[in-house]
Amino acid sequence: MRRIYESTVLRELLRPLGQIAIFVTATGAIFSVAMLLLALLFRGSAADRLLQENNHINIFAFTLTNLPQVLVDGVTLGFVYAAIALGYTMVYGVLEFINFAHSEIFAIGAFVGVEVLIALEGAGQLSSIPIWLAYVFLALAVIAGMAAAGGMAMLVEATAYRPLRNAPRLVPLISAIGVSFFLQDAIRFTESITTGQFHRIIPTFGNFDQRVSLVKLPLAGVVTDINIQIKSIVVIAAAVLMLVGLNYLVNATKVGKAIRAVAQDRPTASLMGINVNLIISLTFLVGGALGGAAGVLYALKFTRIDPFVGFFPGIKAFTAAVLGGIGNLTGALLGGIVLGMLESFAGAYLSAFTMGAAGAEYKDILAFAILILVLIFRPSGLLGEQVGQKA
Amino acid sequence: MSNVLLETKKVVKRFGGLVAVNKMDVVIEQGSICSIIGPNGAGKTTFFNTLTGIYKPEEGEIVFDGHHTIGLRPDQITDLHIARTFQNIRLFGSMTVLENIMVGMHTRLKQSGVDALLRTRKFREEEKKAFAKATELMEYVGLHGVGDELARNLPYGGQRRIEVARALASQPKLLLLDEPTAGMNPNETEDAIRLFRRVRDDLGITILLIEHDMRVVMGISERITVMDYGEKIAEGLPAEIRANKRVIEAYLGRGAATEIIA
């Protein structure tokens, strides 16, 4: 009996790690192979000739030498999307509606985290500090972002969604869009009266901008140094930690069982003595906190944020959630990784393969084309609607 | 002996112009097994729903174990030790059998998110106890070795048993069973009756059931309440109910009643 129980706990901690490893490896492998095949197809084409003329490298070698870096970037971005997508999918799980305000919850997390760091910098705390202190400060900023975003998500639920709980499904959706605009402008307003600026830049501190060399590989005759920015490692580590934590919370604790019970059958859950409103609040808190943390990590990675920073990551994370199967936590993880990878590949190769006709800025087209294709051909998403994974 | 566990006084529940439950008075004594019977649409399930807080009655009073329950939320009423099963099985289909039962324990487990996060000793011990208790309950209702199966993969009779185990997990004083033997074959029905008797005799849990199967009703109930068109039309011992003219009328129509009595 005890052994079975202990193994359940262990399983819930190890399973997501296994899933993450499989998803990352599989997605990376599929994208890499597809890209290399495409490069072979393009050999001798006009794009190939142009590349040889300007860069003295053929298209296959170009693809191969860039590949490792593209994969690393894709994984980083993918985890950020996954962390945001979990917020959409958790809320969908319990309430069956899309919380379009989630992208602004993400932005609030980003702003609070960045403001904390800017305040620390203003107090002269960030310059020439030991490395460990830099990590403590970053953790502090992430926690502040999580608290603010989680609290705001709960507040939004209590004021804008709960009164509409029994209204037709379109009504809370419209309310969510309204909240989204409101929060966007609220951030803008707050920033403009307190700092006079709409965009903020995360202070440079610690060793986050340094790159560590992972390995030197001889690829296509060129020795390529594959390196990764320390902040990318931080983003990946933090995201993995959160994903494992969330999986543990949902699958191995009493609160998690209550969340799943509410997702599956609200009235029956209430008859089991579960306070449904409390659990829904909690779902928003957890989803919002994940979004907030993702916001701070996003700011760390991309440096500059503005009040509209949530829009694109938000809508892409929504795409990721739909791609994986909305309401499905594992699906959100997979969808995030696939989308991050796709974007990274498109950003790196689109320009070379189209001879500059469609640059990296067109990568968004691919993300949203995927959204449309999934909605048309497989509306239940890659992993389908596994109600069991709903949270 | 007159230890009243549940008393309803003139409970009225309306849906628009329809009076689904009309001035229901029911008294349930501690440790008894009572039934509510009546034709389809008589308002039996609606009456159950007023007891558990799913519906809020417009009029009347419900006193359970010294608490007035009208206006409380379902989870608060469950907290007072009332549990129920459903006419149409409503398990959490994609959770395992043990998880379903552990959800039933929700109100009885005291653990905070902080405990869960830090995996304190208290948390681990309570989880372990909950797990052991859930396994025990699963075996009590006669299921063995299916703890890790998804609830929806169990056969119908098994699912009914899980519902009972899940209800028992909340340590009820009163167990409400809504057509617990519907769709069962005679053997399963026999087993179910034995199980309900054991629940009352071993655990001292008072049982109130809605049932159509007259063998079950007559075989197990100590008192029977008959409803028709939302009203109580009769009440008494099984033998009294069997001979009651209004009851036969309600079930079979006026002509039949005179025929049978005559």
Side-chain angles (χ1 to χ4, degrees), chain A residues 130-153:
Chain A
I131 297 289
W132 65 267
L133 199 57
Y135 282 87
V136 171
F137 283 151
L138 181 67
L140 209 67
V142 171
I143 290 167
M146 287 175 88
M152 182 55 78

Side-chain angles (χ1 to χ4, degrees), chain A residues 227-307:
Chain A
N227 55 48
I228 180 168
Q229 265 187 311
I230 288 183
K231 59 189 180 187
S232 295
I233 300 179
V234 171
V235 170
I236 292 174
V240 169
L241 205 67
M242 288 194 301
L243 297 174
V244 173
L246 179 71
N247 183 75
Y248 178 75
L249 174 79
V250 169
N251 287 323
T253 65
K254 174 187 146 185
V255 169
K257 277 195 270 295
I259 291 178
R260 282 182 293 150
V262 169
Q264 286 184 42
D265 188 339
R266 221 181 296 160
T268 306
S270 75
L271 286 167
M272 296 302 128
I274 294 167
N275 183 339
V276 172
N277 277 335
L278 187 72
I279 291 298
I280 291 175
S281 273
L282 205 71
T283 309
F284 273 84
L285 174 72
V286 173
L290 283 175
V296 184
L297 297 175
Y298 184 91
L300 179 71
K301 174 105 176 95
F302 296 100
T303 330
R304 182 182 180 280
I305 54 170
D306 61 54

Side-chain angles (χ1 to χ4, degrees), chain A residues 1-2 4-6 9 248 252-254 257-258 260-261 264-265 267-268 270-275 387-388, chain B residues 52 73-75 78 84 86 90 92-95 99 102-103 106-107 109 111 119 123 127 131 135 166:
Chain A
M1 173 93 65
R2 189 192 162 127
I4 300 173
Y5 165 70
E6 292 294 347
V9 171
Y248 178 75
T253 65
K254 174 187 146 185
K257 277 195 270 295
R260 282 182 293 150
Q264 286 184 42
D265 188 339
T268 306
S270 75
L271 286 167
M272 296 302 128
I274 294 167
N275 183 339
V387 187
Chain B
T52 53
R73 291 192 311 264
D75 57 289
T78 305
R84 72 168 292 180
F86 298 87
R90 288 180 80 164
F92 303 111
S94 39
M95 288 194 203
E99 280 180 334
M102 282 162 85
V103 169
H106 188 87
T107 51
L109 294 177
Q111 49 170 255
R119 294 190 43 68
F123 170 77
E127 280 283 303
F131 189 81
T135 314
R166 185 177 67 176

Side-chain angles (χ1 to χ4, degrees), chain A residues 35-37 39-40 43 48 51 57-65 220:
Chain A
M35 204 63 224
L36 290 172
L37 287 177
L40 282 178
R43 262 197 319 198
D48 191 10
L51 215 53
I57 187 168
N58 72 47
I59 198 155
F60 185 77
F62 171 80
T63 307
L64 192 61
T65 48

